[in-house]
């Protein structure tokens, strides 16, 4: 049985899908939710599903390795970033080699890097007049959006699209593919 930790900073719609997907699974369970925001929606989702949650603080996250103890106490062996906006520090990457994955709401290497998250990505896609966008699931290293790509799926973008309509289409792809890809990687 694998023990997954989901790291998220926001609403947690992907976290919800992943939790639902693994409910009742004999292969893995969501053992912990970690957030850097005390009022993140994902914490409500964790609570509603009886999943332990941890709120982390910037200093402790970057200047200590305390989080490793928290992860170990829940036997975490795989980490999923689902809208987690802080850069993962080297000690964490080293402790979980090729065991941390992220989802990015665009076709990397396009529209990635620091500051490229959520709606900023879809606004940039619209401004660039792209004919398609999509999702990228990739391994996490010490740099934003730079680890090896595991999976991509694309969707069309038309002239009538707004950043909001692009976001909705990309979110559908995320919800459809992310849980299955995680299951494949465990
Ligand atoms: C998702 O679209 C995810 O791809 C994005 O944040 C959103 C979180 O939504 N991540 C990034 O932009 C990372 N650079 P959610 O809280 O509803 O799952």
């Amino acid at each position: 049985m694998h023990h997954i930790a989901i790291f998220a900073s926001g609403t947690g719609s992907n976290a919800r899908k992943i939790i639902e997907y693994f409910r009742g699974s004999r292969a893995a369970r969501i053992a912990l939710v970690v957030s850097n925001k005390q009022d993140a929606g994902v914490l409500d989702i964790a609570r509603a599903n009886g999943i332990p949650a941890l709120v982390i603080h910037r200093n402790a996250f970057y200047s200590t390795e305390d989080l490793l103890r928290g992860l170990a106490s829940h036997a975490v062996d795989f980490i999923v970033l689902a809208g987690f906006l802080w850069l993962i520090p080297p000690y964490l990457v080293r402790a979980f080699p090729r065991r941390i994955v992220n989802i990015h709401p665009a076709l990397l290497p396009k529209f990635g890097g620091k500051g490229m998250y959520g709606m900023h990505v879809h606004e940039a896609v619209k401004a660039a007049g792209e004919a398609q966008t999509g999702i990228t699931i990739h391994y996490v290293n010490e740099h934003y959006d730079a680890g090896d790509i595991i999976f991509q799926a694309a969707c069309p973008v038309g002239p009538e699209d707004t950043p909001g309509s692009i976001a909705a289409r990309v979110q559908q792809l995320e919800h459809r593919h992310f849980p299955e890809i995680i299951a494949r990687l465990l």
Side-chain angles (χ1 to χ4, degrees), residues 10-15 82-83 85 102-105 116-118 145 171 174:
T11 320
S13 74
N14 279 283
L85 301 182
N102 178 46
I103 191 159
H104 186 78
M116 273 294 179
Y117 61 88
D145 304 325
Q171 190 184 56
E174 295 190 323

Side-chain angles (χ1 to χ4, degrees), residues 14-32:
N14 279 283
R16 187 197 297 278
K17 291 287 172 189
I18 296 163
I19 290 166
E20 286 168 2
Y21 183 92
F22 286 102
R23 190 176 290 145
S25 162
R26 276 193 255 166
R29 63 190 196 86
I30 311 309
L32 183 67

Side-chain angles (χ1 to χ4, degrees), residues 62-127:
Y62 288 108
S63 310
T64 77
E65 299 187 4
D66 292 352
L67 181 59
L68 294 182
R69 275 199 299 277
L71 295 170
S73 72
H74 292 277
V76 169
D77 66 350
F78 197 85
I79 297 175
V80 172
L81 309 186
F84 184 69
L85 301 182
W86 284 357
L87 190 65
I88 299 301
Y91 73 82
L92 197 49
V93 176
R94 274 198 303 272
F96 289 86
R98 272 171 120 72
R99 301 296 288 167
I100 311 177
V101 297
N102 178 46
I103 191 159
H104 186 78
L107 296 171
L108 291 175
K110 283 185 168 181
F111 308 105
K114 190 169 163 60
M116 273 294 179
Y117 61 88
M119 218 43 157
H120 298 292
V121 176
H122 309 303
E123 281 160 4
V125 166
K126 172 74 187 166

